[in-house]
């Protein structure tokens, strides 16, 4: 099924969750025995073919996990720079088809601050990509405050992708970690940002959480009662917490199904939901088809394009 013909000749959807594989990242990941088979055959043309089949005009790129966080400091700094320069080359070679979230050398804070400056001030990238956790430290950890405060000062679009924390990598040895732990780590990151006060302090950061918020919707009752059940969290009233959850953005990657979208819809309005497909780990066309069964045509126009342009108005759309 092709979705290119959408009341016009040009594909117009915007996908905010699309992974690319910079050549400089291939060998280090292979040496560290990281990665996924779907990454090995990635090419720009493969990505464009998938986009065209799904009626996607533009995809905002991010590198796959664990990004460069598995490397020593100097290697992480160097490789993050190479990944960002490569993304800009892709954008120049394929005008209007790609945007990009910057790769950052987290968890190294000083190096990350320098790369934020380069990526946003020099390269003019569309935002940054953070992972939910780094070596069992989540984004609200005080050690990451300088990074979060800089992103807040700049008002940066911050795409948050799940990582596999070392604490939980073998909890179900016979099951791939992606089955449960990615959704769980997204929920951990959201919970950590909320109840450390980081998200309330950094209200200018435009967070996009992947996979419809992961397991987070299942914890709403616990969020609502924490302020009354634990004096330490008395300031985190349900109204304040739910206001944060409603202002966050969420993508639809691997969540184009009725239970996931219904749960997310109880937390946030359609205006905060963005099309994401997680290519190359899943083809984009079947996810678009799934979403069309769950949203009205008007809602679908918002999810597949208008909301992304509201969050990132400078996207070079065709």
């Amino acid at each position: 099924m092709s979705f290119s013909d959408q009341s016009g000749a040009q594909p117009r959807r915007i996908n905010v969750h699309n992974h690319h594989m910079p050549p400089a990242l291939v060998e280090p990941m292979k040496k560290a025995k990281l990665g996924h088979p779907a990454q090995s055959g990635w090419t720009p043309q493969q990505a464009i073919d998938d986009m065209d089949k799904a009626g996607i005009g533009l995809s905002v790129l991010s590198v796959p996990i664990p990004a460069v966080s598995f490397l020593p400091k100097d290697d992480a700094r160097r490789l993050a720079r190479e990944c960002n320069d490569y993304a800009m080359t892709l954008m120049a070679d394929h005008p209007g088809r790609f945007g990009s979230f910057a790769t950052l050398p987290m968890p190294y804070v000083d190096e990350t601050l320098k790369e934020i400056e380069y990526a946003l001030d020099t390269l003019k990238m569309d935002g940054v990509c953070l992972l939910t956790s780094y070596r069992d430290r989540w984004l609200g950890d005080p050690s990451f405050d300088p990074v979060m405060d800089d992103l807040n000062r700049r008002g940066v679009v911050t795409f948050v992708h799940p990582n596999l924390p070392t604490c939980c990598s073998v909890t179900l040895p016979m099951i791939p970690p992606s089955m449960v732990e990615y959704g769980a780590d997204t929920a951990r990151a959201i919970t950590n940002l909320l109840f450390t006060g980081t998200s309330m302090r950094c209200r200018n950061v435009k967070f996009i959480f992947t996979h419809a918020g992961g397991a987070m919707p299942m914890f709403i009752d616990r969020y609502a009662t924490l302020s009354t059940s634990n004096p330490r969290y008395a300031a985190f009233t349900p109204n304040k917490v739910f206001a944060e959850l409603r202002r966050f953005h969420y993508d639809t990657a691997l969540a184009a199904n009725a239970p996931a979208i219904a749960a997310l819809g109880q937390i946030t309005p359609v205006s905060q939901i963005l099309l994401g497909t997680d290519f190359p780990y899943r083809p984009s066309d079947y996810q678009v088809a799934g979403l069309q069964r769950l949203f009205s045509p008007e809602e679908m126009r918002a999810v597949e394009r208008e909301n992304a342009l509201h969050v990132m108005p400078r996207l070079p759309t065709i």
Side-chain angles (χ1 to χ4, degrees):
M1 183 182 297
S2 174
F3 296 91
S4 297
D5 186 12
Q6 310 167 68
S7 72
Q10 294 283 11
R12 300 179 66 253
R13 297 186 171 100
I14 297 172
N15 177 16
V16 302
H17 190 157
N18 189 308
H19 296 295
H20 70 303
M21 194 64 183
L25 192 56
V26 173
E27 193 56 35
M29 289 189 73
K30 185 183 299 184
K31 186 176 180 181
K33 298 182 179 180
L34 296 168
H36 185 282
Q39 297 167 200
S40 60
W42 186 90
T43 65
Q45 190 58 52
Q46 181 195 48
I48 290 172
D49 289 345
D50 174 83
M51 291 161 59
D52 288 345
K53 189 176 180 181
I56 294 170
L58 179 139
S59 288
V60 187
L61 302 172
S62 54
V63 300
I65 64 168
V68 298
S69 64
F70 65 99
L71 294 166
K73 181 192 301 184
D74 290 344
D75 291 339
R77 174 190 52 76
R78 174 185 54 79
L79 193 52
R81 177 64 54 91
E82 291 185 37
C83 289
N84 291 331
D85 287 341
Y86 177 71
M88 298 305 295
T89 298
L90 285 178
M91 292 168 66
D93 290 346
H94 305 279
R97 301 311 306 269
F98 295 122
S100 187
F101 294 121
T103 304
L104 300 177
M106 288 281 278
Y108 309 110
V109 169
D110 290 342
E111 289 71 22
T112 293
L113 292 172
K114 292 176 183 176
E115 194 60 25
I116 289 172
E117 181 179 14
Y118 175 74
L120 300 183
D121 295 346
T122 300
L123 299 183
K124 309 295 184 184
M125 298 183 82
D126 299 299
V128 304
C129 178
L130 290 176
L131 304 184
T132 49
S133 61
Y134 297 91
R135 302 173 190 176
D136 292 347
R137 286 182 291 161
W138 284 264
L139 295 178
D141 189 281
S143 65
F144 299 146
D145 281 356
V147 172
M148 301 308 301
D149 289 342
D150 191 44
L151 297 176
N152 184 59
R153 177 180 64 83
R154 293 172 173 272
V156 178
V157 177
T158 301
F159 180 74
V160 182
H161 192 282
N163 199 10
L164 179 60
T166 56
C167 69
C168 308
S169 60
V170 291
T171 50
L172 298 173
M174 301 301 293
I175 303 297
S178 60
M179 186 73 69
V180 173
E181 282 305 324
Y182 291 174
D185 215 52
T186 297
R188 291 187 191 102
I190 293 172
T191 305
N192 182 255
L193 285 165
L194 286 172
F195 292 106
T196 58
T198 303
S199 69
M200 295 179 189
R201 187 182 79 247
C202 299
R203 291 188 58 82
N204 292 327
V205 178
K206 301 176 181 69
F207 289 107
I208 302 174
F209 294 100
T210 62
H211 308 128
M216 176 272 293
M218 302 302 104
F219 302 147
I220 290 301
D221 189 72
R222 298 174 190 273
Y223 291 168
T225 58
L226 185 60
S227 63
T228 56
S229 63
N230 189 323
R232 177 181 177 182
Y233 298 101
F236 296 91
T237 63
N239 285 343
K240 289 182 179 179
V241 170
F242 294 159
E244 290 299 286
L245 294 174
R246 284 192 294 270
R247 81 171 181 87
F248 295 158
H249 297 84
Y250 306 86
D251 81 29
T252 64
L254 308 189
N257 60 79
I261 296 301
L264 183 61
Q266 294 297 310
I267 293 166
T268 197
V270 170
S271 64
Q272 307 306 104
I273 303 174
L274 311 174
L275 173 64
T277 72
D278 221 339
F279 181 82
Y281 307 106
R282 296 288 193 282
S284 298
D285 58 347
Y286 99 93
Q287 295 190 74
V288 170
L291 293 173
Q292 289 179 322
R293 292 190 289 268
L294 302 172
F295 292 105
S296 71
E298 181 180 1
E299 291 171 334
M300 192 65 190
R301 284 193 293 273
V303 169
E304 68 185 7
R305 181 176 175 90
E306 294 168 4
N307 294 345
L309 290 176
H310 180 73
V311 179
M312 295 175 279
R314 296 188 305 164
L315 283 176
T317 53
I318 58 174

